[in-house]
Amino acid sequence: MSPASDVPPASDPTAASPAPTAASGASAQPALRLDGIHKRLGGRDIVVDLHLDVAPGELVTLLGPSGCGKTTTLRMVAGFLKPDRGRVLVDGRDVTPLNPEKRPSAMVFQSYALWPHMTVFKNVAFPLRLAKVPGAELTRRVEAALDMVGLMHHRDSRPARISGGEQQRVALARALVQEPKLLLLDEPLSNLDARLRVKVREEIREIQQRLGITTVLVTHDQEEALSISDRVAVMKDGRIEQLSPPAELYADPRSEFVARFVGSLNTFDGRLVERADGLSVAAEPGVVTAVRPEDVVILDGASDQAAQLETQAAGATAARPVHAARVLRVVPHGPYAEVMLDVAGHRLSAFRSGSLPAQDSQVTVRLRRPMVFVDGKREQASDS
Amino acid sequence: MTITPATSADGATSALRRALVGLAAGVVVIALAVFIFGPLVWLAIRAFVTSWTYPHLTPDGWTMDWWGKVFADNQLSNAVYNSFSFAVMTVALSALICLPAAYAFGRYQFPGRRFFLIALFAMNSFPKMGLFVTLASLFYTLRLMETQLGIVIVHVMGTVVFMTWIPAAAFAAVPRSLEEAARDAGAGALRVFFTITLPLALPSILVAVIMSFLASFDEAQGTYLVGGSTYLTMPTQMYRLVEYYPLQIAAVFSILLSIPSVVLLALVRKQVMGGQLAEGFQLR
């Protein structure tokens, strides 16, 4: 079937909603299973006995800082690297010993890797020529793929003559025309400017869901990861720190590393002691308390009530104490502003939309959802 | 602060100065042009004149006879044939030997890589005649003196630097991701080389081929030593021409000898100017 067809390959045409979650995917055979793959390069363990199951039609993102092993993992899936131990299974079939050209996966490279001596059409046609697809069908499929990414008018252009965003879409078409079981995206948006990045990101997600194609994306951009993934695997030192749907990853990080990497954070070195008369921090070795900026609520008149209601809706049994704070600085970011506060000698950042307090004015704040980490691991909160 | 008004006298002085500078520049340019093109023009005229003797400012008469004589002379036309066939054989053999080496130099790190790269240059910095004399004694033992193979080997030696360094830089410049993308699309290693790597390195290889062709075409010393009087090429024939033939024949011959260089260099002018030649010698 053609990748340009509007019907997803899944038998159920109503399954246009996001791909299966981890729970529902677990029952079926995973489209991709990484079974304890390990890779050592240059005397360092880059990927450490990594396990990962990706359900059919799911988009899983490997997110992490550079050197965390995410690209190495992807290259082992594509076949450019062979794991030292462990297996890569696609639809239950062990592909570990296979070279990249024999694997049922297609990759979109960070640099797009379009062949400069071929036209856009020939670039996209190349995989089909290798597969000895007959002429008429080849033309039909290439044109369908180019049509899908909206580049039919550039079919005879050389890659150097089209823009970065268009090159990226040609690379995507070249991958999709192969009708791969697995689509691998290696930092596909990092060479695009900010505005285009969001646009192409949405296009990729839309096509991925329409075709229901199992996808693994590698990125260091947390916003990108959160916005298009079904699940995000945050990686650190060759291991998966946390594998969760985006919302859960943000709201419920299981380690300090994940909390810091995904979103912004106010941190206190120790346990937060909040009483009606003020805020203090009880130092304790290995303990860090963190509050997200949007959970530092500035109370003033009308928004006080709203905040109160919000707190109750969030399930807090009792209203948390409020603290006096001084506004140090207000940094507008367009839809919201970052307000720098001094709360009992601690510098806190608060995100706020709507009316903004004046610099040097006195306000009262309430801290919601403090997260406590002991030796980097999340301590299950008992009081909230 | 005062501003000096531009008087008509000042204007006249600066105009005069500009005229003088322009004149000086013109003289230098013309002198340079005469220095560079003068001998060539003189040579070109020589090829078409009956004679041109001292007191006369213009040639004594015009003729095409010298060209006819060159093409009629068996030995001379044979030299033209030899030059072209040796150059073609040299390029073919050199490409066969050097291009795989260039790929290795461009793509792999191996012990002694830098040493070998520099050693290729060392061959060109060595006094040629000393090298050839040593080579001759070796060739006598191997019975390669006065053989076509012997001459081709000598010619190949002079092309190795071009045929290795320039393509090596070109192979090194082909991004790995382009090859990986082709592997990912389903092409085997050999297929990737012939459909991706080679076409992308081809402009540089073409430059190397032409530089090698010309190096072989112009090679005289080694050919003279190894070929003796059995195999005469155009450059070695030149030695004899100067001694035994009228000057006009030598003029015709040197024009013939320069045609391939001019044509081939004009063909690859863009690549040579575009820096592929220069890049070739910047390989790390």
Side-chain angles (χ1 to χ4, degrees):
Chain A
M1 82 156 255
S2 157
S5 162
D6 287 331
V7 185
S11 53
D12 181 9
T14 59
S17 57
T21 61
S24 69
S27 57
Q29 187 181 47
L32 171 68
R33 164 167 284 179
L34 302 182
D35 186 12
I37 56 170
H38 188 100
K39 188 68 190 178
R40 203 176 160 78
L41 286 170
R44 256 187 73 222
D45 292 313
I46 306 294
V47 174
V48 182
D49 298 318
L50 188 122
H51 289 269
L52 177 69
D53 279 0
V54 181
E58 194 183 19
L59 194 161
V60 169
T61 297
L62 305 178
L63 173 69
S66 60
C68 71
K70 57 189 192 297
T71 297
T72 306
T73 304
L74 194 75
R75 290 176 67 81
M76 282 194 278
V77 176
F80 296 122
L81 287 171
K82 297 275 157 71
D84 298 335
R85 55 174 183 266
R87 295 183 306 159
V88 177
L89 296 105
V90 177
D91 285 343
R93 188 166 73 101
D94 186 358
V95 299
T96 321
L98 300 182
N99 283 330
E101 65 267 27
K102 303 282 183 203
R103 295 201 183 188
S105 56
M107 184 147 157
V108 174
F109 290 77
Q110 182 173 10
S111 56
Y112 318 140
L114 299 180
W115 302 300
H117 58 302
M118 300 183 192
T119 61
V120 165
F121 183 92
K122 283 187 174 158
N123 262 278
V124 179
F126 189 69
L128 299 184
R129 274 191 216 289
L130 292 172
K132 301 207 164 50
V133 173
E137 192 197 338
L138 179 138
T139 308
R140 187 181 57 75
R141 280 172 65 179
V142 171
E143 287 182 348
L146 284 176
D147 200 39
M148 179 167 53
V149 296
L151 281 176
M152 264 307 278
H153 59 293
H154 274 314
R155 63 178 302 232
D156 295 320
S157 306
R158 293 281 172 134
R161 311 284 301 176
I162 60 178
S163 72
E166 287 166 342
Q167 289 182 28
Q168 210 283 337
R169 292 188 340 239
V170 175
L172 186 64
R174 185 177 66 184
L176 291 174
V177 81
Q178 305 172 41
E179 297 173 17
K181 290 209 168 82
L182 208 55
L183 179 65
L184 308 176
L185 306 169
D186 182 14
E187 307 245 8
L189 306 171
S190 61
N191 287 338
L192 302 178
D193 62 60
R195 189 180 291 271
L196 202 56
R197 199 176 301 165
V198 173
K199 185 170 173 285
V200 178
R201 183 172 86 193
E202 293 311 315
E203 280 173 11
I204 289 178
R205 178 57 160 166
E206 194 269 320
I207 290 169
Q208 183 266 335
Q209 290 193 333
R210 184 145 52 88
L211 302 180
I213 185 168
T214 312
T215 305
V216 180
L217 173 91
V218 158
T219 185
H220 63 269
D221 181 343
Q222 45 119 349
E223 190 196 329
E224 187 179 315
L226 294 183
S227 60
I228 70 171
S229 313
D230 291 309
R231 284 188 299 159
V232 179
V234 180
M235 287 186 70
K236 182 196 176 193
D237 300 334
R239 294 179 173 86
I240 293 179
E241 279 274 302
Q242 183 170 351
L243 175 62
S244 302
E248 186 185 324
L249 191 74
Y250 185 79
D252 190 20
R254 289 202 285 271
S255 73
E256 189 186 340
F257 177 81
V258 173
R260 281 184 190 279
F261 199 79
V262 180
S264 315
L265 219 55
N266 294 298
T267 55
F268 304 90
D269 292 327
R271 252 174 231 283
L272 208 55
V273 181
E274 288 183 283
R275 272 193 292 277
D277 58 341
L279 175 145
S280 62
V281 175
E284 200 176 311
V287 174
V288 169
T289 304
V291 179
R292 296 233 184 251
E294 65 270 29
D295 290 332
V296 178
V297 185
I298 299 172
L299 307 169
D300 57 351
S303 65
D304 190 7
Q305 282 186 336
Q308 205 75 282
L309 288 171
E310 209 181 314
T311 316
Q312 281 161 11
T317 47
R320 299 183 63 90
V322 296
H323 309 287
R326 192 166 64 85
V327 177
L328 298 174
R329 215 151 69 81
V330 179
V331 185
H333 286 287
Y336 69 99
E338 184 177 7
V339 182
M340 305 286 195
L341 299 165
D342 182 336
V343 183
H346 298 281
R347 216 180 137 88
L348 292 186
S349 130
F351 289 163
R352 185 178 168 85
S353 50
S355 68
L356 296 172
Q359 192 164 328
D360 286 324
S361 63
Q362 291 290 330
V363 292
T364 49
V365 297
R366 170 177 289 133
L367 308 183
R368 290 185 305 189
R369 294 197 289 262
M371 300 180 278
V372 180
F373 298 99
V374 180
D375 294 326
K377 293 272 165 257
R378 178 82 177 273
E379 184 188 68
Q380 278 318 306
S382 54
D383 60 335
S384 64
Chain B
M1 179 174 166
T2 57
I3 297 166
T4 322
T7 64
S8 60
D10 277 348
T13 324
S14 69
L16 188 66
R17 187 174 296 156
R18 269 202 302 277
L20 279 174
V21 169
L23 193 68
V27 166
V28 169
V29 166
I30 289 167
L32 207 60
V34 167
F35 185 76
I36 294 171
F37 297 111
L40 295 177
V41 172
W42 185 80
L43 191 78
I45 293 171
R46 278 281 167 175
F48 297 98
V49 299
T50 49
S51 64
W52 193 0
T53 43
Y54 165 62
H56 306 287
L57 278 176
T58 51
D60 304 332
W62 301 93
T63 178
M64 286 293 291
D65 286 357
W66 307 117
W67 292 81
K69 281 205 173 74
V70 167
F71 289 114
D73 189 320
N74 229 343
Q75 226 176 3
L76 294 183
S77 56
N78 199 32
V80 174
Y81 170 80
N82 273 348
S83 272
F84 277 98
S85 61
F86 280 133
V88 169
M89 282 191 280
T90 300
V91 167
L93 186 65
S94 181
L96 206 66
I97 296 170
C98 298
L99 289 184
Y103 187 80
F105 280 125
R107 271 304 158 87
Y108 302 109
Q109 288 295 332
F110 49 88
R113 177 177 172 276
R114 283 197 64 83
F115 173 79
F116 281 116
L117 272 174
I118 302 297
L120 292 179
F121 254 133
M123 213 155 78
N124 274 36
S125 62
F126 219 61
K128 275 271 168 60
M129 214 52 196
L131 197 67
F132 290 147
V133 168
T134 327
L135 199 74
S137 68
L138 192 67
F139 274 19
Y140 273 119
T141 347
L142 298 171
R143 301 185 181 283
L144 284 170
M145 286 308 265
E146 298 193 38
T147 62
Q148 290 194 8
L149 183 62
I151 293 173
V152 169
I153 289 174
V154 168
H155 283 201
V156 165
M157 280 169 48
T159 64
V160 164
V161 167
F162 301 123
M163 224 29 148
T164 310
W165 277 72
I166 300 171
F171 285 131
V174 175
R176 287 289 171 99
S177 62
L178 294 187
E179 295 178 344
E180 286 181 346
R183 286 301 287 271
D184 196 58
L190 215 61
R191 189 78 174 249
V192 171
F193 178 79
F194 283 107
T195 52
I196 307 297
T197 318
L198 195 61
L200 289 175
L202 207 57
S204 290
I205 292 176
L206 207 68
V207 169
V209 161
I210 283 169
M211 298 303 287
S212 301
F213 187 92
L214 295 179
S216 163
F217 205 75
D218 291 340
E219 215 290 326
Q221 296 174 341
T223 319
Y224 205 54
L225 196 77
V226 176
S229 55
T230 317
Y231 293 103
L232 284 164
T233 61
M234 290 170 78
T236 56
Q237 195 59 268
M238 283 297 287
Y239 286 125
R240 291 180 57 241
L241 283 178
V242 173
E243 280 185 55
Y244 306 116
Y245 285 77
L247 205 55
Q248 288 87 336
I249 292 279
V252 169
F253 216 64
S254 52
I255 288 174
L256 284 179
L257 190 56
S258 65
I259 287 172
S261 309
V262 173
V263 169
L264 290 177
L265 283 177
L267 279 180
V268 293
R269 190 175 56 92
K270 215 173 83 186
Q271 273 80 7
V272 175
M273 297 279 187
Q276 251 135 351
L277 187 59
E279 274 165 25
F281 294 96
Q282 287 167 2
L283 194 66
R284 306 251 168 262

